[in-house]
Amino acid sequence: MAVYVAQTRDDITDTQLQDILTRLRQVPAKATTRRTRTGFLIVTWAETGPLLEAELARSEHLVRVLPESSSFPLAAREYRPEGSVVRVGAVPVGDGRPVIIAGPCSAETPEVLLETARAVRAAGADMLRVGVFKPRTSPYSFHGLGPDGLAMLRDARAETGLPIVTEILDVRDIDRVADAADLLQVGARNMQNFTLLTELALTGRPVLLKRGLSATVHEWLNAAEYLLAHGNDHVILCERGIRTFERATRNTLDLNAVPVVKHLSHLPILVDPSHGTGATRYVPPMSAAALAAGADGVIVEVHPRPAQALSDGDQSLDLPEFARLATNLRAIGEALGRGRVAAEPELVELA
Ligand code: PEP
Ligand code: MN
């Protein structure tokens, strides 16, 4: 496979650009374009390097054509040295201010979801996480409410105004999930589900791409490149722990990945210390460490009564624990000079 990056002339017209893309398709090559300050960037790839190179050399509208050695040119830091900001609803992710995403592992009942949503919003959360399609190790575990749960997500968003983050497991669910959620999560088990990534790219909606359980950073950035290569720049990464020999925690939260990703890529990165540790008691210290390491925010599981949660109660914070964590993260964000973390808490009494 040969990959080339070409820069067009500043004054290229739409017709001229379309003409280049038509001719590239005939090579046959694939291509994705991005507007730049000085025209368009074209990333194009084909099985046959010489034919593609010859086609690119023919066009008088290209000012620079370079073979690309990286397998993730669009995700690479060089492509956008200043870093990307991905907007989820009205919430910017990656602008320096750390975001806090909180909510239950799974939607259970409308009452419990609303109770959680109201409490996390009052404590300053920026978005509500909640699963209705749950990938579980055992076929006999609770797999979420499925499509029936989506109305609850819409109600929670309408009631609290919080953007909704939820996992999508199957391409057949994309339209209905996109209707109920603002940030579409690709879970660890699906990081290399390339069909799902490609279809999600076509929606143009923000995607939260969690790191696979045994994926290297390189594989993870290549998975992100699938979304970008198919035209979706609204990609947020999420480190959620990897599988190691260590058994004291559910996973090993790889905080190395935060500065590594920041070095290699312009994409925002969140950290999920709930799945990364598997135990409530470790979530606050690892959330603090994530922000100190430079993460663009954290995503944590919260349940009003973790002991009764239908999934992941062992790693869920209760409502007062989350309120304390949000207060501490706010102080840490300010100490790091990264601005206000989460809204000031509303003056409500938590049980
Ligand atoms: C989740 O967020 O509830 C989840 C299942 O995450 P992961 O894919 O990281 O295991
Ligand atoms: Mn979970």
Side-chain angles (χ1 to χ4, degrees), residues 122-208:
D126 297 284
M127 294 182 221
L128 180 70
R129 63 140 292 146
V130 48
V132 294
F133 297 101
K134 299 304 304 180
R136 302 303 300 279
T137 301
S138 165
Y140 307 118
S141 300
F142 173 60
H143 284 80
L145 300 174
D148 295 345
L150 292 172
M152 280 187 213
L153 275 48
R154 279 192 291 270
D155 290 348
R157 175 169 59 188
E159 162 85 21
T160 62
L162 293 174
I164 304 289
V165 186
T166 201
E167 178 162 358
I168 178 141
L169 285 179
D170 192 315
V171 290
R172 289 170 295 187
D173 295 320
I174 288 179
D175 287 345
R176 52 187 170 185
V177 174
D179 184 46
D182 302 279
L183 177 57
L184 307 178
Q185 174 175 324
V186 175
R189 289 154 193 82
N190 268 320
M191 186 203 84
Q192 288 187 313
N193 181 338
F194 301 121
T195 315
L196 181 59
L197 294 175
T198 305
E199 289 297 320
L200 282 174
L202 301 178
T203 67
R205 299 288 295 274
V207 174
L208 182 66

Side-chain angles (χ1 to χ4, degrees), residues 24 35 117 134 150 186 241 243 261 329:
L24 285 173
R35 191 122 197 46
K134 299 304 304 180
L150 292 172
V186 175
R243 193 55 75 78
V261 162
L329 294 183

Side-chain angles (χ1 to χ4, degrees), residues 104-106 129 134-136 167 185 210 250 272 274-275 301 311-313 315-316:
C105 181
S106 302
R129 63 140 292 146
K134 299 304 304 180
R136 302 303 300 279
E167 178 162 358
Q185 174 175 324
K210 295 189 101 179
R250 182 178 179 185
D272 172 351
S274 305
H275 294 87
E301 289 186 335
S311 58
D312 285 349
Q315 64 193 34
S316 298

Side-chain angles (χ1 to χ4, degrees), residues 6-9 12 17 33-36 38-42:
Q7 175 69 48
T8 72
R9 295 163 60 110
I12 190 169
L17 179 66
T33 59
R34 297 293 187 281
R35 191 122 197 46
T36 66
T38 52
F40 287 86
L41 188 79
I42 304 176

Side-chain angles (χ1 to χ4, degrees), residues 4 29 58 63 159 161 207 231 240 252 329 337:
Y4 284 82
R58 269 168 41 143
V63 288
E159 162 85 21
V207 174
R240 50 76 72 207
T252 298
L329 294 183

